Amino acid sequence: MSEEKFRVESDLLGELKVPINAYYGVQTQRAIENFRITGTKMGDYPEFVKAIGYVKLAAAQTNHALGLLPDELLKPISEACKEVIEGKFNHQFLVDMIQGGAGTSVNMNANEVIANRALEIMGYPRGDAKGILDDAKE
């Protein structure tokens, strides 16, 4: 039996272990632990996840057009969104569907999956947003 490995991520509430292979992050992990309501996950509804991918892609394109998202981030974020749309990460959408009405956990699950995949595309490890922010400052 192999032991599961974790990375440690933090937010305003503190540190939390997230499975090392997860594309989601600390906010999604908190939602998984705190909102076990129906047992039905977002990923159980591929069309729902696909729609979220389209919304996040449109948001990235709009923010780029407004000058709020740098050129070097548009491509990896767009590619990550397209992979979400294609269904490659449905298994990473683990937030309980009842949270769809609340919105925050649903959006953070999507944001974290897209951000971590974009980081990977850019050559960074999952959870290393600091690296991407440092590059954007240069």
Side-chain angles (χ1 to χ4, degrees):
M1 180 189 242
S2 65
E3 188 176 312
E4 187 170 14
K5 297 184 180 185
F6 298 90
R7 64 180 185 263
V8 176
E9 292 192 14
S10 62
D11 61 9
L12 293 174
L13 297 176
E15 293 185 338
L16 192 63
K17 289 181 179 179
V18 177
I20 194 99
N21 293 324
Y23 280 90
Y24 57 84
V26 66
Q27 293 291 312
T28 301
Q29 187 65 46
R30 286 192 195 287
I32 291 167
E33 292 174 6
N34 294 330
F35 301 115
R36 295 178 188 184
I37 300 167
T38 67
T40 304
K41 300 175 287 281
M42 289 170 42
D44 294 338
Y45 292 87
E47 293 300 315
F48 182 74
V49 174
K50 183 177 187 176
I52 291 171
Y54 276 118
V55 169
K56 298 298 182 178
L57 177 59
Q61 292 168 337
T62 300
N63 280 294
H64 180 261
L66 293 171
L68 302 171
L69 182 66
D71 292 341
E72 62 270 10
L73 297 181
L74 177 63
K75 185 177 180 197
I77 291 172
S78 295
E79 188 175 327
C81 288
K82 289 174 185 173
E83 290 178 356
V84 167
I85 292 164
E86 292 167 3
K88 291 182 179 179
F89 296 101
N90 289 346
H91 65 287
Q92 294 291 311
F93 287 82
L94 301 177
V95 170
D96 195 294
M97 273 302 291
I98 200 76
Q99 287 300 298
T104 302
S105 298
V106 167
N107 276 295
M108 288 309 296
N109 193 166
N111 292 345
E112 290 172 343
V113 170
I114 291 164
N116 279 315
R117 179 59 186 130
L119 283 167
E120 230 177 27
I121 291 166
M122 295 177 70
Y124 295 99
R126 296 174 203 163
D128 186 20
K130 184 181 180 320
I132 206 168
L133 293 172
D134 289 344
D135 282 357
K137 289 177 186 175
E138 293 177 0

